[in-house]
Amino acid sequence: MPSHRIATSEIEPVKFEQQKSLKDLNWWKVGGSAQFFLQPQSIDDLIAGLAEARARTWAVHVLSGGSNVLVADHEISGLVISLRSLNRVLRSEVVPTEGGGSGRAVFECEAGVAKSEAAKFFLQKKLAPAVFLTGIPGDVGGGVVMNAGVGEARTPREFCEIVDWIDVVDTSADNDFPVRRRGADELHWTYRHSAGWQPGVIVRVGLSWPADPDPQVMEHVRDATRKRVATQPLTQPSCGSVFRNPPGHKSAKLIEQCGLKGLTVGGAQVSLKHANFIVNLGSATAQDIQTLIAKVRATVLEKTGVSLETEVRLFGFSSDTSTPFR
Ligand SMILES: Cc1cc2nc3c(=O)[nH]c(=O)nc-3n(C[C@H](O)[C@H](O)[C@H](O)COP(=O)(O)OP(=O)(O)OC[C@H]3O[C@@H](n4cnc5c(N)ncnc54)[C@H](O)[C@@H]3O)c2cc1C
């Protein structure tokens, strides 16, 4: 896919929605509205939105599947861009490799394609990435940002193992928005984080894995799904694990040891099923969830001496961890 460059002067003006509620665009089903909102239908649309936002000096916030963000209750000033319509699969096939062998299964897509689509492709080919991808919500681009993965010892178990390249709309240039390709080896991958592509918006992702089928893959996917259903509160709104696992510890275990399962603030509760999940009982606000997060952190620190860091990204807060840019 060739990189392309559009000068800001060539861009058609875009229409933004105003005061768009973000509740249905995040998995916790909380939060306020976006002052301005855009769901681009193409990468050119996205660039047009970014150009307009820059001209008006708006802060820009990016939302994809919304499965790892706590959206603030107030109106979020500036522009929120949802990548949900950048959802085209560009290539999904097995390609021959030099020197023979069974080839490589290649899946290339726009960043807003659901992870479940990638999982389906690898499952059809009976390939191992299907196992960890199944059950992680959200989109492929969000998976790259978070280096999403599972704790179990399996190969592969994180995005960094299956990503070949990403295309990023680079927002650091002064006059335009070049789309730059970054190879996976140019990025810095750590536990639930990737770096080396910011500031910008990931718009396309190339994944691949050796095409050596494993007849047991379907069984492993079923086992992984059974385990998730048994251990996670999947029928209640949540954003998965709230806290990162500190080195040498499991956050869920620490929270449970401190007797915090079931602790409730307003409509938010530490899940009775999985202590590292906070669920929305129906009427939670982002403030309820934030207060509960603070209580859990303070109690775990006081009782165990371990400081918990959030894995979920704060979206639209003054201490924003979803890195908005201008
Ligand atoms: C029930 C449940 C189970 C979960 N289980 C797991 C699990 O097993 N393992 C795991 O790792 N995670 C898990 N999660 C968390 C979440 O699904 C992952 O972190 C996921 O990868 C987030 O993807 P998303 O598209 O929803 O990203 P979002 O929540 O939309 O965004 C996450 C962050 O990435 C930024 N972002 C997203 N897309 C782009 C882009 N294209 N360009 C630039 N910035 C972008 C956003 O600004 C935000 O800061 C779970 C969540 C739930 C609700």
Side-chain angles (χ1 to χ4, degrees):
M1 185 71 54
S3 290
H4 69 286
R5 182 176 279 258
I6 298 183
T8 311
S9 56
E10 295 168 16
I11 289 170
E12 291 287 318
V14 274
K15 283 218 167 66
F16 299 102
E17 286 180 61
Q18 292 189 42
Q19 275 80 46
K20 163 86 175 173
S21 169
L22 299 175
K23 253 191 192 151
D24 289 332
L25 296 175
N26 72 86
W27 278 60
W28 251 322
K29 304 284 176 217
V30 298
S33 57
Q35 185 185 11
F36 296 99
F37 178 83
L38 182 67
Q39 188 163 320
Q41 302 299 310
S42 66
I43 294 168
D44 286 351
D45 262 8
L46 166 70
I47 291 172
L50 291 170
E52 192 78 24
R54 176 174 293 171
R56 301 180 191 210
T57 65
W58 291 339
V60 178
H61 308 255
V62 177
L63 194 57
S64 205
S67 64
N68 206 45
V69 285
L70 177 58
V71 177
D73 291 320
H74 55 251
E75 180 183 279
I76 292 165
S77 70
L79 175 63
V80 174
I81 293 179
S82 165
L83 299 178
R84 286 200 167 173
S85 296
L86 294 189
N87 58 4
R88 281 162 281 262
V89 174
L90 307 168
R91 191 178 178 203
S92 58
E93 59 181 340
V94 173
V95 297
T97 36
E98 269 178 42
S102 33
R104 234 176 141 80
V106 172
F107 185 86
E108 297 177 357
C109 64
E110 290 181 332
V113 163
K115 290 181 189 71
S116 56
E117 282 293 310
K120 216 187 303 169
F121 165 71
F122 288 113
L123 187 58
Q124 276 162 0
K125 307 285 175 211
K126 298 190 170 59
L127 299 177
V131 184
F132 93 92
L133 284 170
T134 300
I136 306 183
D139 300 334
V140 171
V144 173
V145 176
M146 298 304 305
N147 190 18
V150 294
E152 297 101 71
R154 62 170 69 254
T155 306
R157 64 175 192 174
E158 288 180 325
F159 260 75
C160 59
E161 296 167 84
I162 61 169
V163 172
D164 286 337
W165 54 263
I166 59 175
D167 281 345
V168 182
V169 175
D170 181 344
T171 57
S172 68
D174 277 346
N175 299 319
D176 59 7
F177 295 91
V179 181
R180 298 192 197 281
R181 182 156 296 190
R182 302 265 182 236
D185 53 359
E186 294 174 72
L187 306 179
H188 183 54
W189 301 93
T190 49
Y191 170 61
R192 302 296 168 261
H193 186 65
S194 68
W197 56 268
Q198 298 93 339
V201 183
I202 298 173
V203 287
R204 298 187 204 100
V205 180
L207 309 175
S208 78
W209 191 253
D212 299 318
D214 170 0
Q216 307 260 283
V217 159
M218 188 63 193
E219 211 174 307
H220 294 321
V221 166
R222 282 206 195 100
D223 285 350
T225 306
R226 263 195 294 268
K227 194 171 161 206
R228 274 186 191 268
V229 170
T231 59
Q232 299 181 358
L234 299 181
T235 56
Q236 292 168 297
S238 82
C239 263
S241 294
V242 173
F243 299 102
R244 300 154 64 92
N245 286 326
H249 295 279
K250 292 268 183 219
S251 297
K253 212 166 179 186
L254 293 169
I255 298 166
E256 193 165 353
Q257 272 169 12
C258 293
L260 296 173
K261 264 187 165 178
L263 182 69
T264 303
V265 172
Q269 183 178 63
V270 175
S271 167
L272 295 162
K273 206 166 179 182
H274 190 308
N276 199 16
F277 279 51
I278 288 179
V279 294
N280 179 353
L281 296 173
S283 61
T285 61
Q287 187 57 55
D288 293 341
I289 295 171
Q290 211 193 9
T291 306
L292 190 51
I293 288 173
K295 281 193 174 190
V296 170
R297 288 193 71 195
T299 309
V300 170
L301 182 61
E302 187 195 318
K303 291 196 175 174
T304 71
V306 179
S307 174
L308 296 179
E309 298 297 329
T310 47
E311 181 173 316
V312 291
R313 301 285 185 95
L314 301 182
F315 196 95
F317 289 81
S318 53
S319 54
D320 210 312
T321 53
S322 67
T323 53
F325 50 83
R326 277 178 206 276

